[in-house]
Amino acid sequence: MALLAGCGLAVAAGPLGSFMVWRRMSYFGDTLAHSALLGVSVGLITGGDPQLAIVISGLGLAVLLALLDRNPKLATDTLLGILAHTSLALGVVVLSLTSSVRVNLEAYLFGELLTITPRELAWVLVVIAVVLAVLIKNWNAFLSTTVHRELAEVEGHNTARLNLILIVLIALTISVSMKIVGVLLITSLLIIPPATARKFSKNPEKMALNASIIGVICIFMGVFLAFSLDTPVGPSIVVVAGGLFLLSYVLPLSSRS
Amino acid sequence: MPPPNLNSSTLIAADDVSKVFEGRTVLDNVSLEVNQGKIVTLIGPNGAGKTTLVRIILGLMTADSGTVSRRPDLNIGYMPQKLVIDPTMPIAVSRFLELSGSSDPDHLRDTLAQLKIPHLLNSPLTSVSGGEMQRVLLARAMLRRPQLLVLDEPAQGVDVSGQAELYGLISEIRDQQNCGVIMISHDLHLVMSSTDEVVCLNHHVCCHGEPEHVSNDPAFLDLFGARSAESLAIYTHNHNHEHDVRGQIKPPRGE
């Protein structure tokens, strides 16, 4: 079950992460991920479903960030940094105030894939299916906007709407992957496999596909590593991903032929 | 049916368009018209508002006042000033051109042949040289079979011999497709021979008209100075107005 959830996430993270790499949105992803913890705390306080709370807070922040994105004067690294760390800190503070609920903070920060429930698995699979469907359906439009936003706009794409959709997809993916690698490490699972895949890929579609394959390999090897060394699963997966990235640059394989 | 203020050959018309950025007037009551089969060239010093005007014409930006009327369902081919591809994106020229939405292989082949870049089709976009990139961008704009071509400094990064050729190509495209063209250019001497109308912009329209008329206009000489005037073999006139550092017209000096 844990492997299924992990692989599902890796498959969606391939194409989605590729867009984040192309559009230099990795810090953006971090901001969304960090603020997801605030969603958890709010969910616990209100007694609602934590998973639902994460999704809703993630979507709220996604829309906020998309609005800020339209005003480039505001959407600086500084602003993202303020949002990311304030919401992370606020999440931790609020969590510690709700003493009535025993919460394992580490599980949210670094993930706890092995204790995933069937209900959480269902969330992961449904969201992944939606994300992949939307990405594939609008692939050319997303690609066009990424290559040159104004050219895409003149050619009739609604780039503001496409940006919003992409941010929402990222927020959704992050919100269901907390359990798998945790808020502190989720961006790495989105960014590292595409960065590794870049070297072996000659077109955008192949890069997205290769990133998915590399992501799945990371999940399997990470889980295996965690079992054999008795290490936390989430960080183990990310260590494998980072290792494969380094390896891809050391190996004499080259795409420049 | 075209709106009443556009006559049948007009593709797009800007009427008294103004734009202010943070208190600085970038465009001051600018009017301009592009007709079918005509090449209009926007010239003017850096920061004169040329790109802003083009962005408003393209619909990427709205004017603070004034109106822009375009022929209904106007199909625009846009060639941006430059294209910066993130090196992490692997994309070949062919895939980039496909993104225009045109999927007619014959049209693609003809366009690349006309622009003399068929050999680039399978090259990665990031490996294409500056001059070749301008042709790739022009190809992307042409693939949409546009009624109006909007070109933002089409000869940028092209070597001198290539520049004349590129402007020649633009005239040729206009002749074949009977499309309207509006372009921004700095290459005064090259543009003059291949354009129907020159609009000299420095926040306001300093002067406009046929190239011969504009190159003799005192406002033009005032903006571009004697050196470029000499290279165009024109004689100097008295100025009828002067510009301050922001390009606003100064009141005439007293005797």
Side-chain angles (χ1 to χ4, degrees), chain A residues 21-22 24 73 139-140 143-144 146-148 150-151 153-157 198 201-205 207, chain B residues 22 55 58 60 76 78 80 82-92 95-96 99-100 137 140 144:
Chain A
V21 169
W22 295 331
R24 311 198 167 187
K73 248 181 287 174
W139 183 264
N140 274 343
L143 199 59
S144 197
T146 303
V147 169
H148 197 292
E150 295 185 337
L151 192 53
E153 184 82 34
V154 172
E155 289 179 352
H157 296 294
R198 168 65 181 96
S201 313
K202 286 209 161 56
N203 65 48
E205 292 74 22
M207 176 162 154
Chain B
E22 293 170 352
R55 288 173 59 88
L58 288 168
L60 292 170
I76 297 179
Y78 170 46
K82 59 177 178 237
L83 180 79
V84 183
I85 294 280
D86 194 286
T88 56
M89 183 186 279
I91 186 166
R95 187 79 180 88
F96 172 74
L99 287 174
S100 68
L137 288 173
R140 166 106 179 232
R144 296 175 57 76

Side-chain angles (χ1 to χ4, degrees), chain B:
Chain B
M1 212 180 91
N5 54 340
L6 285 187
N7 74 44
S8 60
S9 68
T10 304
L11 297 170
I12 196 156
D15 198 25
D16 276 342
V17 164
S18 295
K19 183 81 188 175
V20 178
F21 285 123
E22 293 170 352
R24 206 168 60 88
T25 303
V26 176
L27 294 176
D28 185 12
N29 289 310
V30 173
S31 299
L32 168 126
E33 219 179 69
V34 187
N35 292 317
Q36 198 175 328
K38 297 289 177 195
I39 298 181
V40 176
T41 303
L42 272 177
I43 57 172
N46 287 326
K50 302 184 296 292
T51 298
T52 305
L53 180 59
V54 163
R55 288 173 59 88
I56 289 172
I57 285 173
L58 288 168
L60 292 170
M61 192 185 266
T62 52
D64 294 336
S65 66
T67 54
V68 176
S69 335
R70 48 177 68 91
R71 183 183 281 189
D73 303 318
L74 182 66
N75 185 4
I76 297 179
Y78 170 46
M79 177 178 171
Q81 200 176 104
K82 59 177 178 237
L83 180 79
V84 183
I85 294 280
D86 194 286
T88 56
M89 183 186 279
I91 186 166
V93 169
S94 55
R95 187 79 180 88
F96 172 74
L97 293 175
E98 241 176 76
L99 287 174
S100 68
S102 158
S103 53
D104 177 351
D106 291 340
H107 185 39
L108 175 68
R109 204 178 47 234
D110 294 347
T111 305
L112 292 183
Q114 184 174 19
L115 297 179
K116 302 193 180 69
I117 50 168
H119 57 286
L120 292 179
L121 196 59
N122 295 313
S123 312
L125 199 56
T126 43
S127 73
V128 168
S129 77
E132 289 170 336
M133 180 61 106
Q134 295 306 101
R135 287 170 187 240
V136 170
L137 288 173
L138 184 57
R140 166 106 179 232
M142 282 172 63
L143 282 174
R144 296 175 57 76
R145 300 178 193 276
Q147 298 158 287
L148 175 66
L149 268 177
V150 180
L151 316 172
D152 193 347
E153 297 193 29
Q156 207 184 41
V158 179
D159 58 48
V160 181
S161 66
Q163 286 178 356
E165 201 185 330
L166 194 64
Y167 286 115
L169 271 173
I170 292 167
S171 301
E172 190 183 307
I173 293 163
R174 183 271 317 264
D175 295 343
Q176 279 174 6
Q177 323 256 333
N178 195 29
C179 57
V181 178
I182 178 162
M183 61 179 167
I184 295 178
S185 177
H186 286 299
D187 312 305
L188 296 170
H189 52 294
L190 291 168
V191 164
M192 290 295 180
S193 61
S194 59
T195 186
D196 299 296
E197 189 183 353
V198 174
V199 175
C200 178
L201 189 73
N202 192 10
H203 303 302
H204 63 285
V205 176
C206 286
C207 52
H208 69 102
E210 290 170 8
E212 300 75 33
H213 166 76
V214 168
S215 57
N216 285 313
D217 193 291
F220 172 84
L221 295 171
D222 193 25
L223 260 185
F224 291 101
R227 203 171 58 85
S228 57
E230 275 162 24
S231 73
L232 292 164
I234 2 169
Y235 58 94
T236 314
H237 279 263
N238 293 321
H239 305 163
N240 71 345
H241 66 265
E242 291 185 354
H243 294 274
D244 65 19
V245 284
R246 291 183 156 187
Q248 310 296 335
I249 301 173
K250 277 194 209 167
R253 267 182 291 201
E255 290 301 307

